[in-house]
């Protein structure tokens, strides 16, 4: 059965909401999203850290959290997912690709991301009204103007970025203050952690995203297109 598409919201109202939340704490943005969308809201987590999860479960303990298991995650990432899942009793949904492991990442990384990330996320969001992400403006130039709340035209649902205005220092401070568990690779120079074939540690002073798809001009996986 085909899932019913969420009705298109009033985009002007959505822009006003986004502007009104621009200076709001991330916790207030999460609360707004949960009140607005309830069970029709999904949090897509990369499990590079658990800042957004920690914020979200305080407002909505039963919120569905989606992890995209590309089949190419570091063993440390899978371990970390389990640690975080148990710590919060997460309502975790693990999405897997519909293809077997292959060497597409070597010859066509865009297609690999499309099949192992974008397509499974699309399935996870079917029938939902909104998704929430840990995207931050400082991460890449393409994310520099990301709104707090917007309409994800490609997926036909609302997108909420509660951490959009956060700096790296904000994240580090929150992790420290809340004594959050950290990804084991974080102190081994991995400042942006994706699949093992496409992530490497970065040198001191090097951009965090330089470790992703290093040596190519690819900078995004397509989830935030
Ligand atoms: S990050 Fe690399 S291995 Fe992971 S889905 Fe994209 S191309 Fe494939």
């Amino acid at each position: 059965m085909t899932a019913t598409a969420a009705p298109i919201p009033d985009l002007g109202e959505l822009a006003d909401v986004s502007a009104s939340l621009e200076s709001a704490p991330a916790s207030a943005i999460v609360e707004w999203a949960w009140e607005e969308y309830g069970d029709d809201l999904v949090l897509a987590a990369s499990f590079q850290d658990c800042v957004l999860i920690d914020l979200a479960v305080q407002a909505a303990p039963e919120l569905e959290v989606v992890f995209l298991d590309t089949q190419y995650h570091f063993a440390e990432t899978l371990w970390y997912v389990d640690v975080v899942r148990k710590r919060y009793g997460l309502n975790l949904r693990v999405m897997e690709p519909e293809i077997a492991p292959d060497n597409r990442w070597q010859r066509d990384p865009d297609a690999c991301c499309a099949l192992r990330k974008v397509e499974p996320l699309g399935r996870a969001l079917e029938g939902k009204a909104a998704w929430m992400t840990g995207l931050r403006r400082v991460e890449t130039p393409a994310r520099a103007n990301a709104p707090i709340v917007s309409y994800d035209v490609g997926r036909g649902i609302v997108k909420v970025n509660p951490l959009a205005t956060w700096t790296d220092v904000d994240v580090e401070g929150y992790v420290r203050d809340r004594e959050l568990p950290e990804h084991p690779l974080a102190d081994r120079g991995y400042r942006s952690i994706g699949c093992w074939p496409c992530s490497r540690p970065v040198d001191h002073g090097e951009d965090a995203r330089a470790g992703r798809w290093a040596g190519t001009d690819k900078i995004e996986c397509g989830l935030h297109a």
Side-chain angles (χ1 to χ4, degrees):
M1 191 167 70
T2 306
T4 309
I8 298 176
D10 183 312
L11 301 188
E13 282 180 17
L14 213 54
D16 290 344
V17 169
S18 187
S20 72
L21 292 173
E22 184 66 29
S23 305
S27 57
I29 299 168
V30 170
E31 283 166 18
W32 170 82
W34 180 243
E35 282 174 20
E36 190 74 15
Y37 302 109
D39 290 342
D40 287 332
L41 175 70
V42 166
L43 191 169
S46 68
F47 286 89
Q48 176 172 297
D49 60 55
C50 60
V51 169
L52 184 56
I53 289 173
D54 185 80
L55 276 160
V57 298
Q58 291 177 58
E62 64 271 46
L63 175 68
E64 184 174 285
V65 176
V66 166
F67 172 61
L68 304 175
D69 183 355
T70 63
Q71 301 174 321
Y72 296 134
H73 283 294
F74 290 98
E76 288 88 343
T77 300
L78 301 179
W79 174 86
Y80 186 65
V81 170
D82 203 42
V83 166
V84 174
R85 179 182 64 78
K86 287 176 179 157
R87 175 184 171 112
Y88 295 102
L90 282 188
N91 176 14
L92 182 68
R93 184 180 183 194
V94 178
M95 300 299 297
E96 295 180 346
E98 292 184 324
I99 56 170
D102 56 24
N103 68 342
R104 210 176 252 106
W105 59 270
Q106 291 176 310
R107 50 190 172 79
D108 191 349
D110 285 340
C112 187
C113 283
L115 290 164
R116 297 185 182 281
K117 292 186 172 184
V118 178
E119 188 280 332
L121 178 66
R123 269 187 282 125
L125 299 182
E126 278 174 13
K128 300 294 183 181
W131 69 303
M132 193 155 60
T133 90
L135 179 150
R136 294 184 296 122
R137 290 174 186 162
V138 295
E139 290 170 328
T140 72
R143 300 179 182 184
N145 297 313
I148 304 291
V149 183
S150 62
Y151 185 62
D152 185 336
V153 176
R155 297 186 174 89
I157 64 173
V158 170
K159 183 175 181 182
V160 185
N161 302 313
L163 307 182
T165 62
W166 283 38
T167 64
D168 292 349
V169 172
D170 292 331
V171 171
E172 289 161 11
Y174 189 89
V175 168
R176 194 171 51 244
D177 292 348
R178 295 280 297 166
E179 299 182 343
L180 300 186
E182 295 185 60
H183 193 298
L185 295 179
D187 65 2
R188 286 189 240 160
Y190 287 85
R191 293 185 51 223
S192 180
I193 305 168
C195 300
W196 64 259
C198 305
S199 304
R200 67 156 173 81
V202 294
D203 293 330
H204 189 67
E206 199 177 13
D207 186 86
R209 296 284 294 189
R212 302 293 292 276
W213 304 285
T216 77
D217 58 3
K218 182 173 171 64
I219 52 171
E220 293 279 357
C221 59
L223 294 180
H224 300 293

